[in-house]
Amino acid sequence: MEIAKTIESVRNLVKAARSQGKKIGLVPTMGALHIGHISLIEAAVKRCEFVVVSIFVNPTQFGPGEDFEKYPRPLDADLEICKKAGVDVVFAPAQEQMYGAENLTWINVEKLTEPLCGRFRPGHLRGVTTVCAKLFNIVLPDVAFFGQKDAQQAIVIKRMVADLNMPLEIVVCPTVREPDGLAVSSRNQYLTQQQRKDAALIYKSLQKCQEMVESGVPKTKEIIDQMCKLLNQIPSGKIEYISIVDAETLDSIDQVAGKVLAAVAVRIGSARLIDNILIDTSKQ
Ligand code: AMP
């Protein structure tokens, strides 16, 4: 496995692989790798002959007062995980490689970035799309892999790729969960033991939503009220949003119909945790 710290070196490695006719896969990450990331890498290894994992804690997707400084950066452990998983190149650039003194060019996907996390983290998704566009331009992958865990991010990136005719395919992989249902996240390590236990209620609330939809409750308000009751049982929890939206447009809906996305964001102690499920009512 190669470790590329510069744009030039990753470009040269990818160029050599492409000249051998290899399909290039990219898994963009911020490091602190866990089984969720590994599932993306495994999907990439299956689909592509040459897999690049980027590890970059992107400053432009963190707002003031967010956890950019304290975000975990266990690079040696991450490299070990990548090696074991069959990654060909880890691209781990320094900040100066990715951004000059002042960035003047941004990618902003309209409308889809307004609800859900967009409402509570202004500029976050703009930072994500900008860094992904940069990574796509640097690596030129045939396929890039993202997690359903960050549902809005995946939808926004797909839209950016479609609207800007970027020549790659976006694959979205299922959310990997702990045995109690909590979505695996690098931010789970901010939780105390008690908070970690309580955090299982996040997925429980989404399961409640699924059950209510399956039992034919049509009104999203009624469902959200029940989810709210469950999430309010987290003593140190503060609900940021509980939303049931159209899974493609992310528009709010009053009645459950077609493909819907139920998504929640909750602050527990110093951690901001998000999770979601997709429900296709036409299949029920
Ligand atoms: P991050 O390092 O948090 O930026 O995440 C990098 C990629 O891993 C994103 O596409 C995430 O959606 C994905 N990811 C993070 N956690 C999980 C998980 N529990 N299951 C599946 N994918 C995940």
Side-chain angles (χ1 to χ4, degrees), residues 28-31 34 36-37 40 71 146-147 149-150 153 174-176 184:
T29 82
M30 298 205 299
H34 51 61
H37 299 115
L40 266 51
Y71 199 85
F146 291 85
K149 154 103 183 348
D150 298 273
Q153 170 177 292
T175 302
V176 177
V184 179

Side-chain angles (χ1 to χ4, degrees), residues 15-16 32-33 39-40 58 70 73 82 87 106 110 119 130 148 151-152 170 172 175 200-201 225 257 264 266 277 282:
K15 202 170 164 191
L33 302 182
S39 74
L40 266 51
N58 173 37
K70 81 163 186 180
R73 291 165 170 85
C82 288
V87 171
W106 301 94
E110 294 176 0
R119 251 180 66 211
T130 301
Q148 176 62 29
Q152 186 176 22
I170 300 297
V172 182
T175 302
L201 281 163
D225 285 348
V264 302
V266 186
I277 52 165
S282 64

Side-chain angles (χ1 to χ4, degrees), residues 134-151:
K134 286 161 80 71
L135 289 168
F136 295 166
N137 282 334
I138 291 165
V139 176
L140 301 175
D142 298 293
V143 194
F145 297 81
F146 291 85
Q148 176 62 29
K149 154 103 183 348
D150 298 273

Side-chain angles (χ1 to χ4, degrees), residues 3 25 31 40 61 72 82 87 91 97 101 107 123 137 141 171 174 181 197 244 246 248-249 262 264 282:
I3 300 159
L40 266 51
Q61 70 188 72
C82 288
V87 171
F91 176 47
Q97 276 290 306
I107 305 255
N137 282 334
V171 169
K197 264 191 196 157
I244 300 179
D246 180 288
E248 269 157 37
T249 62
V264 302
S282 64

Side-chain angles (χ1 to χ4, degrees), residues 13 15 20 42 48 66-67 79 86 88 94 128 191 205 209 225 246-247 262 265 271:
L13 290 162
K15 202 170 164 191
Q20 294 166 24
E42 284 170 353
C48 305
E66 290 189 350
D67 56 345
L79 294 176
D88 295 284
V128 170
L191 300 170
S205 75
C209 170
D225 285 348
D246 180 288

